[in-house]
Amino acid sequence: MKRNRSLIFLAGIFLALVVISLIVQIAPQASSQISATPFYHRVYPELDPATITAIRVIDSEGEGITLRLDTTNQRWVYEATGAIFSTDVVDNMTMTLSLLPYLQTLPAPTEAELRSYGLTQDQALFVAAVTEEGQSHALLIGLLTPSETSYYVLVDERPEVYIVERAAIDYIAAVTRSAYGEARATSTP
């Protein structure tokens, strides 16, 4: 009698192991690779920062700077004065343009929406970059969004409005303000 109980108990364990084995074989295998959905997307996913040879930034008042790569000595210079500009800073600017993150796009705006987003010439910051292949990229940067974490931006000739991460735009604007002040100082006798 005791032996029968042990035999029934072992048979129960055996059946449980068989069922578990079948479930493991039938169930889909979990991927060992974790895939995440990116929070941000890149405005220019194919833009290589090493190919940018000129950058122009102009504010809503028409003041700004143009930097170009002098290919004879691989230095960045102010277009207006020929003064040398920090290569490290320009490298950061070109990398920022290349990686420029956006969260979403809005449908093509109406004229009224353009004004409310600050995407008119009298309100916006203009940033352009030219690559060694002659390809040009342009950004018209408007006002901050209501959350104040991003800007409204028109990109090249694309119809939609991009919601671009604030830190990237603030960096470009700060470097430009600093560089513009530097360029004015070096051009003054």
Side-chain angles (χ1 to χ4, degrees):
M1 184 76 153
K2 203 175 190 185
R3 208 171 127 174
N4 283 343
R5 279 190 200 155
S6 297
L7 191 58
I8 292 173
F9 179 71
L10 289 173
I13 291 176
F14 176 75
L15 281 173
L17 290 173
V18 168
V19 168
I20 290 171
S21 173
L22 287 172
I23 290 172
V24 168
Q25 289 177 1
I26 294 172
Q29 297 296 321
S31 174
S32 62
Q33 205 173 29
I34 297 173
S35 68
T37 303
F39 185 64
Y40 286 108
H41 306 281
R42 289 175 55 191
V43 171
Y44 298 115
E46 303 299 320
L47 180 60
D48 179 358
T51 65
I52 296 175
T53 58
I55 299 172
R56 173 174 284 161
V57 183
I58 302 171
D59 66 17
S60 60
E61 296 167 8
E63 295 186 350
I65 62 166
T66 300
L67 303 170
R68 67 173 171 77
L69 180 63
D70 183 349
T71 55
T72 58
N73 59 15
Q74 294 301 305
R75 291 190 172 181
W76 286 87
V77 296
Y78 294 106
E79 184 73 24
T81 65
I84 295 173
F85 190 76
S86 170
T87 301
D88 290 339
V89 174
V90 176
D91 287 347
N92 286 337
M93 284 181 72
T94 60
M95 185 63 73
T96 300
L97 287 170
S98 170
L99 299 174
L100 195 61
Y102 75 94
L103 181 59
Q104 69 182 54
T105 58
L106 302 176
T110 63
E111 288 298 319
E113 289 171 327
L114 283 174
R115 182 150 288 290
S116 72
Y117 297 156
L119 294 170
T120 58
Q121 193 172 7
D122 63 331
Q123 294 178 297
L125 179 69
F126 175 75
V127 178
V130 178
T131 65
E132 56 194 18
E133 297 88 21
Q135 189 176 26
S136 180
H137 296 288
L139 303 169
L140 190 63
I141 302 162
L143 300 173
L144 284 169
T145 60
S147 67
E148 295 189 355
T149 59
S150 44
Y151 285 94
Y152 296 107
V153 178
L154 287 176
V155 177
D156 296 334
E157 293 183 11
R158 301 175 194 174
E160 62 272 358
V161 174
Y162 286 71
I163 305 301
V164 176
E165 205 272 328
R166 179 180 183 170
I169 301 301
D170 284 350
Y171 173 75
I172 292 169
V175 167
T176 302
R177 279 191 296 276
S178 173
Y180 182 70
E182 220 178 283
R184 290 180 72 187
T186 58
S187 65
T188 307

